Amino acid sequence: MSAEKKDRMGGCGGEDDNDEELGLLTYSHRSYEAITLTTQSAGSTITQDGDALLHFVPEAQQSLQSQQQQQQQVGVIRFALSGVRKNAVPGVVIQALALVVVLGYYYAPPITAGFNQIAGLKSQMGFFYAAISTMLFGGFLPWLVVTLQDCRSSLANGQPLPKWTTVLGDGAFLCLLFIERGVEVDAFYKLQAYVFGSGADLTTIAWKVLVDEFVYSPFWATPFYIVAFGLKDCGYNPRVLVSTWDWTAARFKYVSSLLSTWLIWLPVCTLVYALPGALQVPLFNLVLCFYTLLLVFINKNNNNTQQHEQQPQQQHDEQHEQQPCRA
């Protein structure tokens, strides 16, 4: 990878581990590196001499460009499917959790009574409830768990603790972000109810899910998250974000996020709209928090497994290096 390419793709590097563990559509320097390797491998079959020759053969140059575009499209799909596979287990778990909550609300009187109290509180507090609860479940609690795990890991490995300014800055960013998301999601649910009605019949639910997953998500929610976390990785500097923006990386992230949304969250979205309006935001928050924390622990276990697998190989390499050379 050339130095120029590294600067372009990695100009907005941030706290990689925290971003990946949160599972909140965060895209860090490590993602950019993976995307760069994918796009480079797509065109690695072209030699320098052949590339220079193509400048004098327009037909061949067009054929090369077409081939590279097809290979990049394949790379985007593979990258997206890789993200879906990583989130498959948490996705199934939260789908089951949402199903249990909805069935409990309709068929278990004690659960119904408890949720009716939450619905009453939500109706009284309105947007304030949506803002505070979404900030708590989507931002603060996952940030707190990740921060404590990072500190514990640093102390166990004899590494310096994360900078408190960075940790607090990330926490403030997530809290503000999910305050906005809570108000926005609540307003969107109210708009859906105004347009399609507040019933729980199949037709009403189907229209709400279609608008949510195929209008709201692709044209607003997903791009918003990509830009928001891109701004975070750039030190909250819009000029740096604009100067280091890469459309190839953005396309990879967009397709991967959207595919994960459709395959994992579409069933959850259906279950959310099956509840009364006052309970849609509470279920959304419950699922969001559980999903995020589950991703944190799964990523933590994967990292520990990789470290255990790497240790025997490192010890073998060290022993091999220490052996004297024999003539």
Side-chain angles (χ1 to χ4, degrees):
M1 185 186 301
S2 65
E4 180 182 358
K5 188 66 176 177
K6 282 186 176 180
D7 292 340
R8 266 181 82 235
M9 301 298 286
C12 292
E15 298 293 330
D16 298 10
D17 295 335
N18 289 347
D19 290 349
E20 290 183 356
E21 287 180 342
L22 282 175
L24 302 173
L25 296 178
T26 57
Y27 307 103
S28 60
H29 177 74
R30 189 177 304 166
S31 300
Y32 287 120
E33 290 292 338
I35 294 166
T36 306
L37 292 174
T38 304
T39 54
Q40 281 188 337
S41 63
S44 60
T45 59
I46 307 301
T47 62
Q48 294 180 354
D49 294 338
D51 194 16
L53 179 61
L54 290 174
H55 290 287
F56 301 96
V57 186
E59 294 81 1
Q61 188 173 7
Q62 292 177 359
S63 177
L64 169 66
Q65 292 175 352
S66 176
Q67 181 182 3
Q68 288 179 336
Q69 290 177 357
Q70 292 177 357
Q71 290 172 333
Q72 286 186 358
Q73 291 174 358
V74 173
V76 170
I77 296 174
R78 289 178 178 174
F79 184 78
L81 292 177
S82 175
V84 172
R85 285 194 297 268
K86 291 179 180 179
N87 296 335
V89 174
V92 172
V93 171
I94 65 168
Q95 291 169 6
L97 173 65
L99 179 61
V100 169
V101 170
V102 173
L103 292 177
Y105 174 77
Y106 282 109
Y107 297 105
I111 297 179
T112 303
F115 273 98
N116 284 337
Q117 293 182 354
I118 297 176
L121 181 63
K122 167 67 174 62
S123 300
Q124 292 178 0
M125 300 180 64
F127 286 116
F128 184 75
Y129 174 93
I132 299 303
S133 62
T134 307
M135 179 271 293
L136 179 65
F137 287 102
F140 178 76
L141 288 179
W143 166 82
L144 181 62
V145 171
V146 171
T147 299
L148 292 177
Q149 282 199 347
D150 286 346
C151 292
R152 180 182 177 182
S153 177
S154 298
L155 292 175
N157 297 326
Q159 299 175 349
L161 294 175
K163 294 182 179 180
W164 66 270
T165 53
T166 302
V167 172
L168 294 181
D170 291 345
F173 166 79
L174 290 174
C175 289
L176 291 175
L177 174 66
F178 280 95
I179 286 175
E180 187 279 332
R181 300 309 290 168
V183 174
E184 179 185 313
V185 169
D186 193 18
F188 178 70
Y189 288 167
K190 292 179 183 296
L191 177 62
Q192 291 262 67
Y194 177 80
V195 174
F196 300 110
S198 57
D201 56 283
L202 292 179
T203 302
T204 302
I205 294 175
W207 276 111
K208 291 180 178 180
V209 171
L210 286 174
V211 173
D212 192 314
E213 296 296 315
F214 298 100
V215 178
Y216 173 72
S217 291
F219 292 103
W220 172 250
T222 300
F224 177 86
Y225 273 115
I226 292 175
V227 173
F229 283 99
L231 183 64
K232 169 185 174 294
D233 291 339
C234 291
Y236 311 104
N237 190 329
R239 293 183 178 179
V240 176
L241 176 65
V242 172
S243 62
T244 58
W245 184 263
D246 187 274
W247 286 106
T248 300
R251 185 169 67 252
F252 271 74
K253 294 179 287 188
Y254 178 82
V255 174
S256 177
S257 302
L258 202 57
L259 189 59
S260 297
T261 298
W262 289 339
L263 296 181
I264 295 175
W265 286 92
L266 194 149
V268 176
C269 182
T270 303
L271 293 169
V272 167
Y273 286 119
L275 289 175
L279 289 176
Q280 291 174 3
V281 169
L283 178 58
F284 165 78
N285 289 335
L286 177 63
V287 171
L288 175 64
C289 183
F290 193 84
Y291 176 74
T292 303
L293 294 177
L294 192 59
L295 278 178
V296 169
F297 289 111
I298 288 178
N299 288 335
K300 183 68 174 178
N301 291 333
N302 289 340
N303 292 337
N304 291 337
T305 301
Q306 292 176 357
Q307 290 177 359
H308 288 309
E309 291 177 350
Q310 291 174 356
Q311 285 179 356
Q313 181 64 32
Q314 291 177 353
Q315 294 175 357
H316 177 270
D317 294 341
E318 291 176 356
Q319 292 176 358
H320 181 73
E321 292 176 356
Q322 292 174 359
Q323 291 178 355
C325 296
R326 298 180 184 271

